[in-house]
Structures are given as structure tokens and as C-alpha cells.
Amino acid sequence: MAIVPMKHLELYGLIRHKSSFLSELQRLGLVEIAPLTPEELPSEPSEEIHQRLTEIDGHLAEINRVLEIFERFDPQRPNFVEQFAGMKTVLTWEEQQNYLAAGEKMEELKAQVLRYEGEYNRLEQESAQTEREIAQLVPWKELDLPRETWSGSKRIQVLLGSIEGDLNTFTAELDAQEIPYSLKAFGIYENRLYLVLFLLKSPEADEALRNSGFVTTVPNIPAGTVGEYLDLLERNQSERAERLAALRSALKELAAQRPLFQTFYDYWYNMKLQVEANRQLLLGKDVFAMAGWVEAEQAGRVEKVLEAMGLPYYLRFRDPEPDEEIPIALKNTKPVAPFEALVGGFSYPRKDEVDPTPAVAPFFFLCYGMALGDAGYGLALSIICAVLLWKLTMRPRGRQLAWMFVASGLGAVFFGLLTSSIFGYAPYRGLFSVVESPQILLIVALGLGLVQLYVGTIINGWINIRNGRWGDALWKQGFWLLFLTGILLTVGAPQIGLEQYSLYFRYGTLISAALLIIGNTRGKQGFWAKLIALPGGLFTIYGSVSFFSDVLSYSRLMALGLSGGVMGSIINMFVGMVWKTPVIGWLFGIIIFLFGHALNMGLNVLGAYVHSSRLQYLEFFNTFFTGGGRPFAPLKLENINIFLRKEREV
Amino acid sequence: MELGSLYAYLGVSIAVLFSGFGSAYGVSLPGKMAAGVVTEDPKKFGQTLILTALPGTQGIYGFVIGMLMSFKFSSITGPIPLEVGLRFLAAGLPVGIVGLVSAILQGRVAAAGIGIVAKRPEESSKGIIYAGLVETYAILAFIISFFLYNAITV
């Protein structure tokens, strides 16, 4: 129910067995292997490990390439939920084993996929190129002179080309120079008129041609007429299109093997983790040594499993040294555990701190309930998350978050029932109405804030006591609480009918303030040092301003609850308005109700989450928690693409 | 039109107008970036959607205040006195103006948060919290607008 106690572990074994040990430890997933200290690092990195990693990276890159090809030819379409949760492939254990046994088939298919894709890309490129070629040749389609005649005869030159502008101006130019010619025009393509020109070979003719703006373009064909060559190209093109279609459908069909490749991707990924773990082993001549951490409760299990391997080894556990940094794992009772996700989102505690999860859980529950504030929305949220948990495969962190929202939704149900708010309707008289008397909600919100911050301060005191700093607990947190309570009573005495005692409250406040200032001089040596520390104590007093502004920060719960509530009732008002319309009024009413409340709920669920977390992270944690612990990260099998069905049933 | 009614109407429009403008602009900033991220990785739609929606709340707060105010003054029979009209105007100002500014600034933070989603999706909840911090001031303005509105007696 707190930070899990860890044991330090040392394992020695024969170097030739090290892969078996690592693989077994990875399968077990209970041991975090500590990195080598700088002195222990070998002078030169192992060539063998480097080579193996390069090889594995090669496998991963190839499989990834195949998966990308599948995605290109047969894209996976995530449904609405998967848009948010991501897509996962779920297999049974048997399926996974069958896939892993089909390594050869995988290699074969991989080669095939890569080959097909290579061909596809090549054909596609060729096809685009031919397309361009065709576009260039199309103007000459009607030219019935074969390639061989284009060089002309001794006296006559054959010119293929284009002019800009009018044919008449062009011929007028030639006529003016009295040059004999004959021509045939083919039509205008991209603003240029294409034509074939037969001209007497003479310097005058060349001169006239230059001035006329005629540009020679010789179509690039091997032989025959342009029309014949175009036919050939188009035949090729349609053959290519057929082949491309065939390749597309073949690849699409191959994409059905996606799980096989995903399984191998995960396999090689985990192999990579295992090989990387080799770097954390200390190697002797025949013996390797490994240091690490294991949850104290699991130490026995690790020992048993290693023993069952039947290989020679030596295993030693010890408790962590006082100043040793240990990895942090949290363990809490079932109702509280989901809120670990919230703490993890901020930071893990250091080992001398306490796990804040059990304290965060009830307050987040209440904050969320108040901020969402509607039983209908709360129930809908809980049900949605419960269904997701039931239907969907998630990583542990995702499951925790989903459970947290199930619980938090129930908080809103609780609060909505108290204030009688179900989808913006108030079917009965609740304790008070959020929309009608939000002042009460404000007071409740601030009250919750005050309680939570008091609890935080008390926890801080308790940490001090636990770590043997009784003095700190008394002088820092004890008198601080006394002082805050004094201020509250002094200010609030008239409201709660304790006016006759207000003088005592005032003195109490002053005395505790004085004690706080004196407390600040603790630990200072010598009279002068103590004297100089006194003004610093005034800052402690000033801290009460920030304490009360933290409390005021909880007013956001009221604002969220109120705006959600008012929005809900406005939606219901619209529904009521259209409901009276005859015949189809009810239909529009239902549409407005569903759409409006879905939108309002979405925004409120989000706002309540953001602001409730913020209250924990900033206001609450400020009183006792800094975090900065390193989360426990055992060597284990990771799921990247593949999830096993049995995990779903846990 | 009576001057009082004019001010009351102005109060409503300021509340809705400014906060609505701010939210629209604020949502557009992460929205543009989110569209960019989704072109690269369509699976990130969900995470980016949350960040994109965040600066939208200011518009809702303005709308809520505007609605409440228009309910209140539509229940008044006869012309609205000048002083009451001015109170409506004053009540609309905080949520309108703070909403405008905070939504735009929150939009910038959320847009930066989209960067977290793109590069380190596992940390995206932190981006959401950062954007949430900016909203605090819109909430405070909403609370004050609400109490100003609540104090208007007809």
C-alpha cells in the first residue's frame, strides 16, 4: 500500500549460459538489471553484442518495411474507439506460437513482398515516364511519314516543329520571301501549332524560317510512324496497368499475413532488449555477474525459477543500503490502484517519500465528482470506460486510466444524486441545487480544498515523524496548522457563533505565528545566526497567503460544475421548446438532447479531468510531495503490436 | 430603445462575442498543428483532439453567462433601468475579455502540447495539464462574472 520494498540482487553464472539466464529473466519480467558503474565498464565495447544488435536492427527494419508496405496497399481502418486507443492485434497463445514456428514461411513471404513492391515501384515509375513520352508524341499522332524519311532528300528538307501564333502570318512570311514550300498542320497543343514543313534547301529559306519563329522539334521514336510507336507505347501501358493491378491485389492478399510479421517484429524487438541487457553484465573469464533489483515479495519466485533451470549459478539478495537509490514501484489496494496512473503522470515518489496514491484517490474522486457534477454524465462515463475495459485490449497504464475514469464517473453519480442533477434535469429535491444556489457549491468546493490541503500538511508531518524528524513535524507542520486554524477561527468566528471566544483565537494565532518564527531559527548555530534567521520566519507567515490562495483555487470546481449544469439545463430548455412542435417535435427533441448532452459531457469530462488533476499536482502535492523517483523498469517481454488474449482476461 | 436595455444587450454580446472569438482562434492554433500531425500519423487523432478542444471552454463560459443574462432581462417587464443595464454590462466584461485573451494564449500552449503528442505520445497528458493551467484565469473570470450577474436584482 505504498512504495514496494525492493531487494538488491546479485546473480553469477557461467558466461556460456548467460543468454539462457537473460531470456528466462525476461520471460519472468520481475528483475530490473542495474547498469554497470563507470569503473566496471569494459575498456572496449563488445564487438559481438554490437554485431548481434546490428543484425537484429536489420530484421526489425525489414519487417517494419514489410508492415509499411502492407499499410500502403491494405491500410488498416481504425474504428472510432481505435482512433483514440490505437490498433492492436490480439492473438491467443497458440496462434502466437504457431506464427513463431513459421519463421521460414515468414522469410519467404518477406522476400516475396519486397520483390513485389520493388516491381510495383519500378512499373509505376516506368508508367509515369511513358505517360510523359506519350504526351510529347501526341501532337505528331497524324504524321504518316515514317522516321526514315525525316532526313529529307537532296533538295528538299523535311522539318518537324511548331510555331506560336497564326498559320497565316507564318505562310505570309514565307510567301513574301517567295520560297517554295508545302506544309501540313496537325493542330494546336499547349498554344503551339504543330506542323510538318517541306522546304527547298537554301540559305534564304533557312533565314526566312529563323525569322518566322519556327521551332524544330523532332519526335523521339526509334522507327516507323509516330502513330505506330504510340500504339506500342499504349499497349505497353495497358499491360503495365494490368500487372500493377495484379501486384496490388497480390500485396493486398499478402497483407492478411500482417499478424505473422507483427509477431516477428515483437519477437525481434524483445530479442533486442535481451541482447542490450548483455551490456549490463560484468564479464570475467568464464563467469558473468549481474546486479539488479527485484520486488522483495518476488525474490523467492525468482530464486525458484532460476533453480528450475538446472544450470549452475549463485544468487544473493540483500536489503538496499540507506543511501542507495532504488527504483520505485507502487502497490495499492484494488480501489486505489487505478489512481497510480495519476501519480505516475506527475512523477514517482522518491524512496524517502510516501506513495501519495491513497491520499489522492478519494480527493480526486470528490473533485472530479464535483466538477462533472451530473449523475447522468457520470454514469455514462463509467459505463463507457467499463465497456472499453471489457472489449478492448490495453496496456497496463491504459487499464489503470480506464479504471480511474470508471471510479471518477461514479464520483459524479454520487455528487449528481446529492444535488439532484441527471442530464441537467432535477427530478427531485436534492440537498441543494447547483444552478440555483452556486454559493453553497462554492463553499463546499473551498471546504474540500481546505480539508485536502490540511491532509497534505499532516502527511508532510507524518513523513517527518517517520523519518525521525519529530522536531520538524512539530515546529514546521504542527504550528503551521495551528496558525492556519487560528486565522480561520479568527476570521470565521462570527459566522459560526463563537464570537465570544474570538479574543482567544486571535491570541492563539499570534502565539503560533511567534512559534513559527522562532522555529525558523532552529538549526542555526550561535546567537547572531539565530537573530538573523528571525526575519526569514516572517516569510513562513507570509506563506499563509499562498496557502489560502491554493484553497481559493478549488473554486474552479464550482465553476466547472456550474457551467456544466447551466449548459445542461439550457440544452433541456431547447429540447422542451421543440418538443411542443406537433408531429416531428419529438424527433428534433431527441436529436438536440443526444447531440447537446454528448457535446456538453465531452467538454465537461475533459475539463473535470484537467482541473481535478491540476488540483492534485499543484495544490495538493505542493504541501508534501516533490517526486523524482525512478520507476521500476524490469527486463520483460514488451508488447508492441501483439497482445495475447489471456492478458485481456486478467 | 432605452439606454438601460442597450447596455444590458451589450453585456450579453460582450460576454459571448469576445470569449467566442477567443475560443475560435484558440482552437484553431492547435487544430492546425493537429492536422499536420495526423497527416503523418493518423493514429494520433484522439490525443490531438483533446488538446484541440481545450481552448474551446472559454466560449462555453461566455455563452453560459450570456444565456443566463438574457434569461434574466427577458423576464423584466418594461424598460430596463440604466443602472441595471450597466450592471449587466459590467457582468459580461470579465468572462468576455479574460476569455478572449486566455483562449488565445491557451491555444498557443495547446499547440505546443501537440508537439508532445507528435514526439512523445506517452507524455501527452502533461501537455494537457499545461494547457489547463492557462484556463484557470478564464475560470476565475467566469466565477466573478457569475457572481456579478447573480447580484443583479430586478
Side-chain angles (χ1 to χ4, degrees):
Chain A
M1 294 231 258
I3 300 172
V4 177
M6 290 279 165
K7 274 201 186 284
H8 188 267
L9 155 155
E10 276 169 52
L11 174 69
Y12 301 86
L14 294 178
I15 284 188
R16 62 192 149 94
H17 297 149
K18 74 178 172 17
S19 291
S20 320
F21 278 109
L22 283 175
S23 144
E24 193 62 14
L25 286 177
Q26 188 181 30
R27 200 188 55 75
L28 200 59
L30 291 174
V31 177
E32 177 181 313
I33 302 177
L36 297 177
T37 58
E39 308 89 74
E40 289 168 346
L41 274 177
S43 47
E44 53 199 77
S46 157
E47 195 56 37
E48 183 212 336
I49 293 176
H50 182 75
Q51 243 171 31
R52 290 218 55 199
L53 281 177
T54 319
E55 183 196 328
I56 290 172
D57 279 336
H59 283 294
L60 283 173
E62 268 182 7
I63 296 176
N64 208 19
R65 177 97 192 82
V66 170
L67 288 173
E68 273 170 19
I69 295 170
F70 287 165
E71 197 57 36
R72 177 175 160 201
F73 289 94
D74 180 32
Q76 288 175 298
R77 303 233 171 274
N79 61 29
F80 182 72
V81 173
E82 285 169 338
Q83 293 266 352
F84 292 85
M87 301 191 69
K88 287 149 192 142
T89 306
V90 184
L91 299 178
T92 61
W93 186 80
E94 287 82 10
E95 280 171 325
Q96 192 200 27
Q97 293 307 309
N98 287 341
Y99 281 135
L100 283 175
E104 273 172 37
K105 183 182 158 203
M106 194 276 290
E107 290 294 335
E108 237 168 72
L109 287 173
K110 188 169 78 187
Q112 196 178 1
V113 168
L114 291 174
R115 202 172 58 238
Y116 280 1
E117 201 243 5
E119 190 184 348
Y120 188 90
N121 286 344
R122 187 172 53 77
L123 286 177
E124 213 176 34
Q125 223 169 18
E126 281 176 12
S127 157
Q129 212 173 350
T130 314
E131 211 52 55
R132 278 197 299 276
E133 211 180 335
I134 291 176
Q136 277 173 3
L137 293 178
V138 157
W140 306 107
K141 203 171 169 182
E142 322 245 304
L143 178 70
D144 44 9
L145 290 177
R147 178 82 175 82
E148 294 73 23
T149 61
W150 293 355
S151 47
S153 69
K154 216 187 255 175
R155 308 272 318 271
I156 308 288
Q157 51 182 337
V158 178
L159 290 167
L160 297 156
S162 60
I163 55 165
E164 203 166 358
D166 198 21
L167 186 61
N168 291 335
T169 12
F170 177 67
T171 50
E173 177 87 12
L174 293 176
D175 289 339
Q177 303 283 331
E178 294 185 346
I179 297 164
Y181 70 91
S182 162
L183 63 77
K184 185 176 180 193
F186 298 109
I188 296 172
Y189 297 89
E190 290 175 353
N191 295 326
R192 295 191 75 86
L193 179 70
Y194 285 80
L195 48 92
V196 56
L197 186 63
F198 303 89
L199 208 57
L200 198 66
K201 280 184 181 161
S202 73
E204 294 83 37
D206 289 348
E207 175 69 25
L209 211 56
R210 256 199 300 283
N211 295 336
S212 67
F214 182 87
V215 179
T216 338
T217 27
V218 180
N220 188 10
I221 61 169
T225 65
V226 175
E228 285 164 15
Y229 188 62
L230 271 175
D231 283 346
L232 174 74
L233 287 182
E234 256 147 30
R235 255 198 324 277
N236 285 350
Q237 208 53 344
S238 66
E239 268 166 34
R240 259 189 218 114
E242 262 170 51
R243 180 68 186 146
L244 281 172
L247 284 173
R248 246 198 316 272
S249 65
L251 281 167
K252 206 174 157 114
E253 212 166 289
L254 280 169
Q257 297 292 339
R258 205 188 306 247
L260 172 67
F261 287 92
Q262 285 174 327
T263 308
F264 271 96
Y265 187 90
D266 282 20
Y267 169 80
W268 285 114
Y269 184 87
N270 284 313
M271 188 55 89
K272 184 176 171 183
L273 293 181
Q274 198 193 75
V275 173
E276 272 171 349
N278 267 300
R279 292 204 167 133
Q280 288 159 322
L281 300 185
L282 200 55
L283 299 179
K285 218 167 129 210
D286 296 308
V287 174
F288 75 87
M290 186 195 93
W293 296 95
V294 59
E295 292 180 16
E297 280 179 14
Q298 304 288 356
R301 214 174 125 203
V302 172
E303 191 157 17
K304 216 178 278 169
V305 168
L306 290 179
E307 207 176 285
M309 286 173 71
L311 298 171
Y313 73 98
Y314 172 72
L315 184 64
R316 190 170 69 173
F317 293 108
R318 66 168 168 80
D319 288 322
E321 311 276 346
D323 55 348
E324 216 168 2
E325 197 222 331
I326 62 168
I328 304 294
L330 303 178
K331 189 168 189 176
N332 284 287
T333 50
K334 236 180 173 166
V336 173
F339 294 88
E340 284 170 8
L342 206 63
V343 175
F346 182 76
S347 176
Y348 274 75
R350 293 192 317 268
K351 69 163 180 170
D352 54 344
E353 289 185 315
V354 291
D355 175 9
T357 315
V360 162
F363 285 110
F364 187 86
F365 176 83
L366 289 173
C367 286
Y368 198 90
M370 214 182 273
L372 190 55
D374 187 288
Y377 294 169
L379 193 64
L381 176 68
S382 295
I383 291 176
I384 290 172
C385 288
V387 169
L388 288 184
L389 275 168
W390 178 43
K391 286 276 180 201
L392 219 64
T393 314
M394 297 189 218
R395 293 206 166 81
R397 173 57 67 87
R399 296 188 69 81
Q400 274 188 341
L401 266 179
W403 273 114
M404 190 182 89
F405 279 111
V406 171
S408 307
L410 292 179
V413 171
F414 166 72
F415 208 78
L417 290 179
L418 277 187
T419 57
S420 175
S421 164
I422 300 167
F423 288 117
Y425 290 107
Y428 55 90
R429 236 189 112 62
L431 281 183
F432 64 93
S433 160
V434 169
V435 180
E436 276 155 31
S437 42
Q439 294 89 339
I440 302 180
L441 182 63
L442 181 64
I443 292 167
V444 175
L446 295 181
L448 176 68
L450 197 65
V451 171
Q452 188 173 15
L453 296 183
Y454 262 63
V455 167
T457 313
I458 292 169
I459 294 176
N460 199 2
W462 181 64
I463 296 172
N464 278 333
I465 291 173
R466 201 186 60 161
N467 292 338
R469 297 191 296 261
W470 285 85
D472 279 357
L474 179 70
W475 285 93
K476 286 197 177 140
Q477 281 86 41
F479 290 134
W480 176 239
L481 285 180
L482 208 60
F483 171 64
L484 292 174
T485 316
I487 293 179
L488 283 173
L489 286 173
T490 310
V491 176
Q495 270 82 34
I496 48 176
L498 293 173
E499 210 162 359
Q500 65 269 37
Y501 301 112
S502 62
L503 200 63
Y504 298 112
F505 295 150
R506 216 163 289 176
Y507 281 129
T509 312
L510 284 177
I511 291 169
S512 46
L515 287 169
L516 275 175
I517 295 177
I518 294 169
N520 200 50
T521 64
R522 285 169 64 247
K524 298 284 188 307
Q525 296 299 318
F527 177 73
W528 286 111
K530 279 188 195 294
L531 200 65
I532 290 165
L534 276 181
L538 290 174
F539 279 107
T540 323
I541 303 297
Y542 183 72
S544 59
V545 175
S546 91
F547 181 89
F548 286 111
S549 73
D550 280 355
V551 172
L552 282 179
S553 188
Y554 282 74
S555 63
R556 71 187 64 234
L557 296 177
M558 167 255 175
L560 290 167
L562 178 67
S563 76
V566 173
M567 253 336 242
S569 51
I570 290 175
I571 293 164
N572 290 341
M573 198 190 68
F574 286 150
V575 172
M577 271 156 59
V578 297
W579 197 263
K580 288 179 205 123
T581 322
V583 192
I584 50 162
W586 60 273
L587 181 67
F588 283 109
I590 289 174
I591 293 174
I592 293 177
F593 182 86
L594 289 179
F595 188 73
H597 280 296
L599 198 69
N600 192 32
M601 178 182 153
L603 275 174
N604 274 296
V605 161
L606 176 61
Y609 162 67
V610 171
H611 289 286
S612 305
S613 331
R614 174 223 146 98
L615 287 175
Q616 314 305 317
Y617 291 166
L618 271 96
E619 275 76 12
F620 187 44
F621 284 173
N622 191 22
T623 53
F624 72 98
F625 183 71
T626 26
R630 185 170 59 80
F632 180 58
L635 175 67
K636 60 173 191 224
L637 295 171
E638 302 279 352
N639 308 340
I640 307 298
N641 299 302
I642 297 291
F643 287 76
L644 290 186
R645 202 173 300 275
K646 76 170 193 316
E647 284 174 326
R648 215 166 130 168
E649 284 149 18
V650 166
Chain B
M1 189 194 264
E2 288 291 322
L3 210 50
S5 310
L6 178 66
Y7 281 129
Y9 281 29
L10 266 180
V12 173
S13 48
I14 282 177
V16 180
L17 200 83
F18 284 84
S19 63
F21 173 74
S23 273
Y25 191 82
V27 170
S28 79
L29 297 173
K32 282 188 279 190
M33 282 192 70
V37 170
V38 170
T39 10
E40 284 291 311
D41 186 359
K43 293 186 194 90
K44 294 204 168 114
F45 172 69
Q47 284 173 311
T48 52
L49 184 69
I50 290 175
L51 274 165
T52 311
L54 269 181
T57 39
Q58 279 86 342
I60 304 274
Y61 298 145
F63 176 73
V64 165
I65 294 289
M67 265 307 212
L68 288 171
M69 290 204 291
S70 54
F71 288 152
K72 193 171 245 184
F73 69 58
S74 63
S75 70
I76 303 174
T77 45
I80 299 173
L82 181 62
E83 196 211 322
V84 175
L86 283 171
R87 284 178 170 210
F88 274 113
L89 177 60
L93 283 173
V95 79
I97 294 186
V98 179
L100 167 69
V101 179
S102 70
I104 294 173
L105 297 179
Q106 190 181 14
R108 291 193 191 152
V109 178
I114 299 277
I116 303 185
V117 175
K119 291 190 178 152
R120 305 196 62 169
E122 69 280 3
E123 302 290 348
S124 62
S125 67
K126 288 174 183 160
I128 295 170
I129 299 292
Y130 284 136
L133 296 186
V134 184
E135 189 162 306
T136 305
Y137 308 97
I139 289 180
L140 297 180
F142 169 73
I143 293 175
I144 292 304
S145 273
F146 181 79
F147 280 109
L148 288 179
Y149 147 84
N150 223 19
I152 301 172
T153 44
V154 204

